C-alpha cells in the first residue's frame, strides 16, 4: 500500500518526479482544513520555500492541535538559518532534492513511527505495547475493554460499525451480553475524551458508531 502524504501545495511543484515514487500525495490548504485532511495520512509535507513565517505557523499549528504525524518541511538553503526546535518538525529537505532523497526521508520517518508501535489519529495516540492511550499529551485512564474499543475505532477512521459488529470484533463471539454494552462503553469513552473531543466518536443514527478525526 502506498503511503498517504498531505502536502500544502501542488505535489509536482515540490517534487516534479513524485509520480515515480510509491507515495500518494493529497494537496491540502495550509489552514484548519489541512488538519482534518492529515488525519488519514501517514506523514505531512509542508512547503516552506516562499513564506517561512507562514510555514512556521502551520508547523506549530499541527503540533498544538494534537496531531503527532511526522512533519517533513521543504525549505530553500537560505531558509535553513531560521530553523530551530521551535518549528517542531521531524525532518527537513532542501528544495531541488532528487526523488531518491525525498523517498528515503519519508521511509525513514515512517520507519521511526512504526518502530514506536504507535497508532495515531485525530490527536489520539495509542501504544499497543504498553496498553496505553493519550489525547495529545494527556493520558487516558481506560479499562481494558475501553482501550480495545478505542483502538478498534481509531484504526478504522471514517468507517461506520454497527453495534453487533463492534460486539463481535471487540468483545468476541463468545460474549453473551446485549448490544447495549457497546452504547455504555461509547458513552464512557466520550466522557474520558472530554466535551471538546467527544465528537471524535460519532453516532450514525440507526447504524452505529465511527471514529471521525
Amino acid at each position: 500500500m502506498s503511503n498517504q502524504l498531505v502536502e500544502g501545495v501542488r505535489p509536482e511543484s515540490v517534487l516534479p518526479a513524485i509520480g515515480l515514487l510509491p507515495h500518494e500525495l493529497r494537496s491540502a490548504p495550509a489552514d484548519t482544513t489541512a488538519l482534518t485532511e492529515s488525519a488519514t495520512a501517514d506523514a505531512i509535507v509542508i512547503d516552506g520555500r516562499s513564506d517561512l513565517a507562514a510555514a512556521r505557523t502551520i508547523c506549530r499549528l499541527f503540533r498544538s492541535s494534537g496531531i503527532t504525524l511526522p512533519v517533513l518541511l521543504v525549505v530553500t538553503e537560505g531558509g535553513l538559518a531560521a530553523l530551530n526546535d521551535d518549528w517542531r518538525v521531524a525532518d527537513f529537505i532542501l528544495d531541488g532534492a532528487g526523488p531518491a532523497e525525498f523517498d528515503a526521508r519519508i521511509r525513514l520517518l515512517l520507519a521511526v513511527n512504526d518502530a514506536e508501535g504507535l497508532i495515531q489519529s485525530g490527536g489520539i495516540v495509542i501504544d499497543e505495547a504498553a496498553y496505553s492511550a493519550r489525547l495529545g499529551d494527556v493520558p487516558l485512564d481506560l479499562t481494558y475493554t475501553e482501550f480495545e474499543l478505542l483502538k478498534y475505532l481509531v484504526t478504522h477512521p471514517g468507517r461506520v460499525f454497527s453495534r453487533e459488529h463492534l460486539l463481535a470484533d471487540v468483545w468476541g463471539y463468545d460474549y453473551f451480553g446485549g448490544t447495549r454494552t457497546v452504547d455504555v462503553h461509547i458513552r464512557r469513552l466520550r466522557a474520558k475524551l472530554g466535551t471538546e473531543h467527544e465528537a471524535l466518536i460519532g453516532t450514525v443514527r440507526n447504524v452505529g458508531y465511527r471514529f471521525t478525526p
Side-chain angles (χ1 to χ4, degrees):
M1 182 180 295
S2 63
N3 297 316
Q4 301 286 316
L5 310 176
V6 170
E7 190 245 329
V9 295
R10 293 170 55 195
E12 60 271 22
S13 68
V14 170
L15 186 63
I18 189 64
L20 303 175
L21 301 179
H23 307 294
E24 176 187 342
L25 267 76
R26 293 181 288 105
S27 296
D31 55 23
T32 52
T33 301
L35 299 178
T36 303
E37 289 291 326
S38 71
T40 57
D42 298 306
I44 301 164
V45 181
I46 294 179
D47 181 13
R49 296 169 301 166
S50 60
D51 191 337
L52 280 174
R56 177 175 178 269
T57 298
I58 194 65
C59 286
R60 299 178 68 188
L61 180 60
F62 273 108
R63 285 294 172 257
S64 63
S65 69
I67 292 176
T68 55
L69 296 173
V71 173
L72 178 66
L73 178 67
V74 183
V75 292
T76 63
E77 188 169 357
L80 291 178
L83 295 184
N84 55 50
D85 58 357
D86 186 52
W87 286 66
R88 305 181 73 181
V89 297
D91 198 3
F92 71 89
I93 189 170
L94 292 177
D95 66 330
E101 181 180 351
F102 185 91
D103 181 53
R105 289 182 183 272
I106 289 296
R107 284 188 289 103
L108 289 173
L109 285 181
L110 298 183
V112 169
N113 244 28
D114 290 342
E116 293 176 350
L118 303 180
I119 301 171
Q120 308 178 50
S121 185
I124 293 178
V125 182
I126 294 175
D127 187 337
E128 292 185 280
Y131 264 88
S132 64
R134 67 179 189 270
L135 180 60
D137 295 326
V138 180
L140 296 173
D141 183 17
L142 305 177
T143 66
Y144 174 81
T145 304
E146 289 167 354
F147 174 85
E148 290 294 329
L149 177 59
L150 181 62
K151 182 180 74 172
Y152 191 84
L153 292 171
V154 170
T155 53
H156 301 87
R159 182 175 173 183
V160 181
F161 293 102
S162 68
R163 293 166 176 81
E164 292 78 10
H165 190 128
L166 291 172
L167 201 63
D169 280 14
V170 177
W171 277 262
Y173 286 102
D174 56 348
Y175 180 77
F176 294 104
T179 56
R180 179 168 173 74
T181 192
V182 177
D183 299 328
V184 172
H185 280 76
I186 290 290
R187 188 160 58 247
R188 290 174 180 170
L189 278 178
R190 286 173 172 163
K192 291 181 179 182
L193 290 174
T195 55
E196 293 184 8
H197 303 283
E198 62 181 4
L200 285 170
I201 302 177
T203 300
V204 180
R205 188 178 297 275
N206 299 323
V207 182
Y209 299 103
R210 67 180 171 191
F211 182 72
T212 54

